[in-house]
């Protein structure tokens, strides 16, 4: 990993661990065994469709109201010049949120992870953006074409070329 990436990631890790500053509310570090792969837990704050009792039950077996979500960050050698690969974790413990910009395999359609990435953005900023995206959701539903997309989507979210045309959700 390049020197710039290493220094930046060490600084961000210290902030998320509470060593230097306070981590943002609702965001906690699950694992960061190395500087290339981190997992964080993300809680949606405030009144939203993701709060306990706020919405009808989700599909059987899917997390929804009152649940927390895990987000995985993979950093390349050119971070922060290039964006990290970011996905919601989908495993035995965590599921992706039901949201029009989040596919059931955890891939996220968000412009800040693609063509609107800026080196001034940080892991905390991305997590805060995801919290805001979920909190402002007007309807819990999967993206159009979710099933066919998930069947053919690459495992690496950086290889997906999303079209960003809907910022109203």
């Amino acid at each position: 990993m390049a020197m710039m990436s290493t220094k930046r990631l060490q600084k961000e890790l210290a902030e998320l661990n509470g060593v230097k500053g306070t981590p943002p509310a609702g965001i906690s570090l699950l694992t960061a065994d190395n500087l290339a792969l981190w997992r964080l837990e993300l809680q949606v704050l405030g009144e939203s469709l993701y709060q306990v009792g706020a919405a009808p039950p989700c599909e059987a077996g899917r997390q929804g109201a009152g649940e927390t979500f895990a987000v995985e960050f993979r950093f390349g050698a050119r971070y922060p010049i290039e964006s990290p690969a970011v996905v919601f974790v989908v495993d035995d413990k965590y599921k992706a949120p039901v949201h029009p910009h989040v596919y059931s395999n955890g891939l996220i359609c968000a412009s800040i992870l693609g063509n609107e990435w800026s080196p001034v953005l940080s892991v905390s900023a991305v997590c805060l953006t995801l919290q805001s995206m979920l909190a402002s959701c007007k309807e819990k539903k999967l993206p159009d074409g979710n099933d066919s997309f998930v069947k053919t989507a690459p495992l690496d979210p950086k290889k997906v070329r999303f079209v960003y045309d809907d910022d109203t959700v």
Side-chain angles (χ1 to χ4, degrees):
M1 194 163 275
M3 180 64 121
M4 179 172 59
S5 294
T6 300
K7 283 187 169 190
R8 169 73 177 264
L9 287 167
Q10 287 171 336
K11 178 181 178 234
E12 290 190 46
L13 189 56
E15 291 169 0
L16 288 168
N17 275 324
V19 175
K20 292 187 178 183
T22 305
I27 298 168
S28 58
L29 189 64
L30 293 172
T31 60
D33 297 334
N34 59 56
L35 292 180
L37 177 68
W38 297 359
R39 281 192 175 190
L40 294 97
E41 197 167 63
L42 195 137
Q43 178 184 23
V44 182
L45 304 175
E47 291 186 32
S48 74
L49 295 177
Y50 297 93
Q51 296 304 304
V52 175
C58 295
E59 303 168 35
R62 293 190 56 85
Q63 288 184 339
E67 299 290 335
T68 56
F69 305 101
V71 183
E72 182 175 276
F73 285 75
R74 290 180 190 263
F75 304 97
R78 294 191 30 83
Y79 178 81
I81 303 304
E82 291 180 359
S83 67
V86 182
V87 296
F88 280 100
V89 175
V90 178
D91 62 16
D92 292 339
K93 184 175 179 183
Y94 295 100
K95 301 295 179 222
V98 177
H99 186 281
H101 291 209
V102 180
Y103 289 88
S104 59
N105 63 355
L107 292 182
I108 306 163
C109 180
S111 59
I112 67 159
L113 300 175
N115 63 358
E116 291 186 18
W117 173 258
S118 169
V120 300
L121 293 171
S122 64
V123 171
S124 292
V126 171
C127 287
L128 289 168
T129 299
L130 294 175
Q131 281 180 316
S132 176
M133 180 183 84
L134 295 171
S136 64
C137 181
K138 306 231 184 317
E139 180 183 8
K140 280 183 160 183
K141 69 175 191 169
L142 292 171
D144 292 336
N146 176 75
D147 293 342
S148 60
F149 173 81
V150 168
K151 288 177 187 173
T152 61
L155 295 176
D156 182 356
K158 305 274 288 172
K159 293 185 178 181
V160 178
R161 297 292 170 236
F162 288 111
V163 175
Y164 309 107
D165 61 356
D166 181 12
D167 60 358
T168 62
V169 196

